[in-house]
Amino acid sequence: MWELTKSFRFEAAHSLSGTTFGAASEEIHGHSFRAEVTVRGTPDPETGMVVDLGLLQRAIEDVRLTLDHKFLNKIEALGKPTLENLSRFVWERLQHIGKLTRVSIHRDSCNESCTYYGPQG
C-alpha cells in the first residue's frame, strides 16, 4: 500500500465572528494556506502510479483557483471559513478522483492545521 501526497498553496481572506479572539478575528484579514491532498492505493501495473498525477494536478488547480485570492466568507458551499470547513470543502471537490484518504489545511503563520478524513464507510 502506498500513500501519495500533493500540496498546493493559496492566499485568502476571511472574517470569523464568535471566537475568543474577538475583534481581531472579526475584522477581514488574510492568511497564506497550504493544502495537502493524500491518496492511498496500489500502483496501477501499467502506469506505475497510484493515481495519474496529471489528473490530480488538474483537479487540484480547479480547487486552488476557487480559493486563491478570494474572500472565503463569500464561498457559499464553504460555510463559516474555518480550517475544518476548508478541509471538508477541498475533500468534497476532489473525492471524485478516488482513493482519497485525507485533506489537510495548514496555516503555517499561526502554527495551525486541520485534517479531514472524509466519510468513513
Side-chain angles (χ1 to χ4, degrees):
M1 190 63 59
W2 285 256
E3 277 193 344
L4 176 69
T5 300
K6 183 119 178 101
S7 300
F8 68 98
R9 295 183 179 277
F10 62 97
E11 309 288 327
H14 69 161
S15 66
L16 290 173
S17 59
T19 73
T20 56
F21 292 116
S25 186
E26 291 174 6
E27 294 293 326
I28 296 173
H29 60 282
H31 297 282
S32 296
F33 294 93
R34 178 172 48 91
E36 293 180 343
V37 176
T38 302
V39 294
R40 176 186 289 169
T42 304
D44 179 286
E46 289 186 32
T47 66
M49 296 185 283
V50 173
V51 66
D52 183 319
L53 287 173
L55 295 175
L56 180 58
Q57 178 60 40
R58 278 188 241 150
I60 284 174
E61 185 61 11
D62 288 342
V63 174
R64 190 191 70 75
L65 290 173
T66 300
L67 300 171
D68 193 38
H69 288 87
K70 301 294 190 301
F71 182 51
L72 298 176
N73 296 66
K74 288 187 174 183
I75 300 175
E76 201 169 303
L78 177 60
K80 197 169 196 173
T82 62
L83 289 172
E84 292 86 349
N85 284 336
L86 275 168
S87 57
R88 177 199 41 81
F89 179 86
V90 172
W91 172 285
E92 289 172 350
R93 271 128 196 93
L94 296 178
Q95 65 186 349
H96 69 277
I97 62 172
K99 303 179 181 180
L100 193 59
T101 58
R102 68 178 171 266
V103 171
S104 298
I105 305 292
H106 303 266
R107 209 165 37 211
D108 293 332
S109 61
C110 300
N111 298 313
E112 300 166 340
S113 68
C114 182
T115 300
Y116 182 67
Y117 293 91
Q120 303 299 306

